[in-house]
Amino acid sequence: MSEKPLPARERILGAALRLFYEEGVRAVGVDRLIAESGVTKATFYRHFPSKEELVVAYVQSIDRDIRGLVGSIRVQLSAHAAIEAFFSGPGGVGDQLCRPGFRGCPFLNAAAE
């Protein structure tokens, strides 16, 4: 059975998450995002009326992911263990810093651009 394709908005945001982090917000144009996400220009602009709105959604998505990680760790562990897990546990900050392609904090990168 084949998997149902992701909705257009999710494909656009997924492409933005990857490309903005790997190459930078300013380096990636709307045409590239459209091509990478497999949507039409009209579909792109229906979901994100401007590239600026897509950048906001990009930063909000990263924020949600980080808050989700922190929230799940906090619920499961004591405060001390949660801090340790966040920085050195599997998928934590330590893993992120050591992964191939690490380009720094996505918030700072976007703000610097």
Side-chain angles (χ1 to χ4, degrees):
M1 187 172 241
S2 63
E3 290 184 32
K4 186 176 179 179
L6 290 174
R9 186 178 197 288
E10 289 182 41
R11 291 195 319 267
I12 296 165
L13 187 55
L17 284 164
R18 183 175 54 77
L19 294 172
F20 286 169
Y21 185 75
E22 289 174 2
E23 300 177 23
V25 171
R26 293 183 68 193
V28 178
V30 170
D31 289 337
R32 173 102 183 272
L33 290 161
I34 289 168
E36 293 277 334
S37 59
V39 299
T40 65
K41 194 172 272 199
T43 299
F44 178 90
Y45 284 111
R46 185 174 337 115
H47 291 285
F48 301 100
S50 68
K51 183 178 174 183
E52 183 176 287
E53 290 190 32
L54 178 57
V55 172
V56 169
Y58 161 74
V59 171
Q60 288 173 334
S61 178
I62 295 167
D63 179 64
R64 257 190 318 275
D65 291 347
I66 291 171
R67 288 177 188 273
L69 173 64
V70 170
S72 68
I73 291 171
R74 265 188 30 200
V75 169
Q76 299 170 9
L77 305 170
S78 68
H80 178 76
I83 291 169
E84 188 172 309
F86 180 73
F87 287 103
S88 61
V93 174
D95 280 354
Q96 299 295 317
L97 295 173
C98 295
R99 75 173 192 226
F102 178 73
R103 291 194 62 240
C105 173
F107 300 111
L108 293 176
N109 292 346
E113 289 192 52

